[in-house]
Each structure stands twice: as structure tokens, then as C-alpha cells.
Amino acid sequence: MALNFSKSKILILGGGVTGTALANSLTRRGATIAIADDKKIEDSAFSTLLSDDVDISQWEMAVVSPGWKPTHPLIHKLVEAGVEITNEIDLAWMIKQEQAPHQRWFAVTGTNGKTTTVEMTAAAMRAGGLHAIACGNVGDTVIDAVESKENYDVLVLELSSFQIHWMSSAQFTASALLNIADDHTDWHGDFQEYARTKISLLDSSSTGILNADDEEVIKRSVHWKGRKVFFTLDTPAPGEIGVVEDLLVDRAFVADPQEAAMICELKEIQPTVPHNVSNALAAAGLARAAGVNHESIRSALATFTPGRHRIEQVLSSGGITWIDDSKATNPHAASASIMSALSVVWIAGGLAKGAGLDELVKRCGKRIKAAVLIGQDKSIIAKALRDNAPHIAILEIDTPAQYQVGSTENSLMEDVVAAAREFAVEGDTVLLAPACASMDQFINYADRGDRFAQAVKKVIADE
């Protein structure tokens, strides 16, 4: 732990998981720190400040937690005062360079599929004999992973657009860009800035594993000069990874790109839906960039199980399938989920984060027979449905008067499930794929998914 901040006065913006990890690391390294937040922090082991009360002149560096907007008044003050601003990723990189120079970093970003892909990638790397962990926007913070006594060979970072925005020095052996679609425009200001931030990850990467099926990824990566390896659900060209009949194949990391090496069988990817196969291709590309052989990748992918609330079957009863995809927190993710079924009773709504729903409805309208809508922005979804697919039945569910976020009673989701059951018949899929964030009515997306599952098992079991 040679890196020393004993003469540094560092302000940490945000008192959540990342902020606490930063505070622990910097304090061990001798820094004078305080944590600033918009809300009062209770029971902290560190000095805490309300963001409005910060004396800028006391601080020479600020470390920004994910989620803090560049337009935040405190950040404006820090910039105007010339205070150096960094983030956890760059600080962890600085520590890594000194403490673990052998360690290689890989990254995954995209509007959807990040968590599944980083976990697939880390599993493939472990199967290939590397000591690897998925971290960043999933699991451990990056700084905790770097400082871990585990002495990892490889970190596979899930990076949000928020993290990439503040990042400048971290470098990656390879990075995967899964997709770029409308999301977080309330944070970035508009889609162009959001997309620019996502694609800028390539500037910190030696190899880009790029989705050839995503127009935005193709268009925005065209001028990047690093090594590009495209992956596709179609037959891959030489130098690409893709699908040939019932096989995932590699024509990029092989001695002769005119030949194809098998990665795995299509049926070994579960669930076998297009966007999950695409995730597996990206993970395979990253693992090959790390030197992992095809057999190890196949072993990892064939035994991989996605995390909770990702196209998770809750119940099949009376010919109706009930699916929890609460992790589909934006229109792009919800669209992929809807298109994996033929006749959908769609449960959606929450906080739209500035994203539009018209494109989703235009693409998926023929698959949706009815929509049960909840949450703060349910009227936005209802309007998109009426404007673009007037044949779809719409039912908006108001929050029950007695319902409280985090309480044990589950009247909201029980009302939703009962309403969906009225629309559903044999052969239908009732799909919770909200296309929105959850925090208006739930603790988080996991709480939303858990409550849906509980309600399905209670309401449908009572029939």
C-alpha cells in the first residue's frame, strides 16, 4: 500500500456503496477526506457534509460517485475553483498500476445486457484458468477488487455511462459495446451525449468487441482506429464472431480467419433468446481476447445461469407463462424481451428517465395484446400505445392508498397480476418488462420483481 495521500485533502461526492469504498481506501492511504451528499448521512464512520455546506477552498481533489450529474451545483463550484475531479475507476487504476501491474482490465458497456455479459465473461475466464472477477456496476466496487487480497489476474468491469463520463486514465485490454439505445437522457441531456459517452470507452481500449447488429455501435465506432472484432447473430465474416446454423463460431481469434472454430452449440445458451445469445458472443470475444480457449468458454457458457429478474420464469399455469424481466429498465431491454414471445400481456411503467416509448411500440405492437401500466410515467406509455398501436387494450393501475414502498403488504402487484390475468388466455405470456426504472413505487428493480413473483404465486394459486 505504497501509494500515499497523506498530504491530500479529498472530497468524496456521494455517500453510497462507491463513496464508502473510496473513503475506506483513501483513509487507509492517509488522505484527509469528507463525504458530501445531498441528503444527511446517518451513522457514518467518516466526516460528512451536506453538498450545500461544502467550503470549496478546503479541497484539492474531488472523487465523484456514479450518478452525480455534471450539472450538479457542487460540481460546478469545484470546476470553477479549479479543483481536480476524478472518479473511482481512475483512482482504482492508479492504485492498480502500482499495486498489481500484472492485472488486466476488460470492460463491458451498453444500454442492456451488461451484467449478464460481465458475469459470463468472468466465468469463461475462470474456466480458462484465470483468477477473474466481475466488478464495477455489479458485485464489488472496482477499488475493492483492486485492493483485494485475492490478487486477481483479471477484472471484468461493468461500466455505466455515468462511470465512463468521469473516466480518463483507465486502460482496457478489450472492451465490449453491446448496444446503444435511448436511456438516461435525463442525466446526459440528450441521446447524442449519452451515445458519445458510451462509445468513448473505445478510446481507452486496445480491442473493441462490437455488436454488428446494432446500427448505433457500427455508426459511432467507424472512425476508431483500434482493433475491431464484430459479433453478430448472422453468419460471421472473416475476423468476426457469429452464428452458423446451430453453432456459435469464432472467425476472429483463429489462425486462419477463413476457417471457423466452434465456441458452443446454440442450445447451450439459456435462455436461448436473441439478446442472450448476443451477450454470449460478446463474452466469448472478451474471453478470447484474454487468451481463453474455446473449450473453456463452452464449458462456462453451457453452465451459466443469468441473474435474478432477467427473463425469469415465475410460473406456468393453464397454458399461461408468467415472466419476470424486471431488469428491463429501459425501452431497448423491454423491446428485446417482448420480441422473445409471440403474444404478450405487457406489464410496464415506472420512471421513464426521459426515454421515448414510440419506437418500442412500433417494433413490438404486433406482439402485445394488452398492457397493464403502473407508475409515475404510465401515461407516457399509454400515449405511445394509443398513437402507434390503438388495437392494444390498455389498463392503468393506480397505486392503492394503503401501499407504501418497502412495506410487507403487496396490494399494488396483486392488483396488477389480477388485471393481467383477465387479459391472458392459453398460449399467452404475461411479461413484467417495465421499460422504466422502479424507484417511484419500489425499492429497486429486484424488489419490483420479487413482489411480482409473490403476487403471481398468491393470486394465480388461489384460482
Side-chain angles (χ1 to χ4, degrees):
M1 197 174 68
L3 195 63
N4 195 321
F5 290 98
S6 61
K7 295 183 179 181
S8 301
K9 295 182 178 180
I10 303 175
L11 182 67
I12 297 168
L13 307 189
V17 173
T18 300
T20 301
L22 286 165
N24 284 322
S25 177
L26 290 168
T27 299
R28 286 195 301 269
R29 295 172 186 281
T32 299
I33 67 105
I35 300 175
D37 207 302
D38 291 336
K39 298 179 181 179
K40 186 177 181 181
I41 301 172
E42 304 288 348
D43 302 322
S44 175
F46 305 99
S47 174
T48 62
L49 303 165
L50 286 172
S51 55
D52 289 341
D53 298 335
V54 172
D55 180 355
I56 302 297
S57 64
Q58 291 187 22
W59 307 101
E60 59 197 57
M61 177 187 288
V63 189
V64 185
S65 297
W68 277 61
K69 295 182 181 181
T71 55
H72 192 286
L74 178 54
I75 292 177
H76 271 308
K77 292 177 183 177
L78 291 164
V79 170
E80 289 174 359
V83 175
E84 179 185 355
I85 297 178
T86 187
N87 74 340
E88 181 229 355
I89 309 299
D90 280 354
L91 191 64
W93 178 259
M94 187 188 310
I95 295 169
K96 173 260 176 205
Q97 289 291 81
E98 180 178 270
Q99 182 173 309
H102 70 283
Q103 190 178 82
R104 291 183 291 166
W105 284 18
F106 294 75
V108 176
T109 198
T111 305
N112 299 301
K114 296 185 295 296
T115 300
T116 296
T117 304
V118 294
E119 290 174 344
M120 281 180 170
T121 303
M125 290 181 174
R126 288 192 293 269
L130 295 171
H131 194 27
I133 186 175
C135 61
N137 207 32
V138 60
D140 289 351
T141 63
V142 180
I143 205 160
D144 281 341
V146 167
E147 295 186 322
S148 171
K149 294 179 181 178
E150 291 288 330
N151 193 26
Y152 293 108
D153 299 320
V154 171
L155 302 189
V156 186
L157 280 67
E158 176 185 334
L159 293 178
S160 69
S161 59
F162 308 152
Q163 291 163 307
I164 297 169
H165 174 89
W166 295 111
M167 190 182 77
S168 62
S169 60
Q171 296 293 312
F172 302 92
T173 301
S175 295
L177 268 71
L178 305 180
N179 40 63
I180 302 175
D182 196 9
D183 198 16
H184 296 302
T185 52
D186 56 343
W187 196 94
H188 289 278
D190 58 32
F191 173 72
Q192 294 303 320
E193 179 60 23
Y194 168 72
R196 187 205 63 76
T197 300
K198 285 289 193 185
I199 211 75
S200 71
L201 177 61
L202 290 177
D203 295 331
S204 303
S205 308
S206 298
T207 297
I209 310 296
L210 308 173
N211 188 352
D213 301 328
D214 189 280
E215 292 182 5
E216 291 291 340
V217 171
I218 294 171
K219 177 176 69 176
R220 293 175 184 277
S221 64
V222 69
H223 297 298
W224 181 63
K225 301 302 183 185
R227 183 190 181 190
K228 299 175 188 176
V229 175
F230 286 100
F231 62 93
T232 175
L233 295 174
D234 291 327
T235 301
E240 297 182 349
I241 299 172
V243 179
V244 177
E245 296 180 350
D246 60 351
L247 301 177
L248 277 65
V249 300
D250 174 11
R251 298 186 69 185
F253 299 92
V254 289
D256 182 359
Q258 298 303 321
E259 301 294 328
M262 185 182 79
I263 297 169
C264 67
E265 295 185 57
L266 187 61
K267 66 182 181 182
E268 291 176 304
I269 307 301
Q270 294 294 326
T272 314
V273 295
H275 58 289
N276 200 44
V277 176
S278 187
N279 294 339
L281 290 166
L286 288 170
R288 291 295 290 143
V292 177
N293 62 45
H294 296 102
E295 293 77 11
S296 296
I297 296 171
R298 180 179 188 177
S299 173
L301 294 178
T303 56
F304 182 81
T305 302
R308 297 284 319 283
H309 314 296
R310 296 168 176 84
I311 327 176
E312 182 179 6
Q313 182 170 313
V314 174
L315 184 69
S316 180
S317 176
I320 302 168
T321 304
W322 299 77
I323 300 290
D324 166 16
D325 198 11
S326 184
K327 189 68 165 62
T329 57
N330 57 59
H332 186 266
S335 176
S337 193
I338 293 166
M339 294 302 290
S340 67
L342 293 176
S343 179
V344 174
V345 177
W346 181 36
I347 300 170
L351 298 171
K353 300 175 289 182
L357 276 296
D358 291 296
E359 290 304 314
L360 178 152
V361 178
K362 290 175 183 176
R363 182 184 181 212
C364 304
K366 292 181 179 179
R367 301 288 181 99
I368 303 169
K369 68 178 292 185
V372 180
L373 306 180
I374 61 174
Q376 179 175 306
D377 290 333
K378 60 181 179 289
S379 61
I380 295 174
I381 305 175
K383 183 178 187 303
L385 289 165
R386 286 193 296 268
D387 289 348
N388 299 287
H391 67 280
I392 296 174
I394 301 170
L395 180 62
E396 298 184 45
I397 302 288
D398 292 328
T399 307
Q402 73 274 22
Y403 176 78
Q404 293 183 342
V405 176
S407 67
T408 56
E409 70 92 25
N410 197 24
S411 55
L412 172 57
M413 269 303 180
E414 288 170 8
D415 288 351
V416 167
V417 167
R421 181 64 187 88
E422 291 299 311
F423 290 114
V425 299
E426 184 176 352
D428 287 346
T429 297
V430 179
L431 174 65
L432 173 67
C436 293
S438 58
M439 287 76 75
D440 55 334
Q441 293 180 307
F442 306 95
I443 297 171
N444 49 36
Y445 77 84
D447 177 48
R448 178 170 61 189
D450 287 338
R451 288 177 178 275
F452 173 70
Q454 292 164 12
V456 168
K457 291 170 183 176
K458 177 180 178 180
V459 173
I460 304 306
D462 286 345
E463 291 186 340

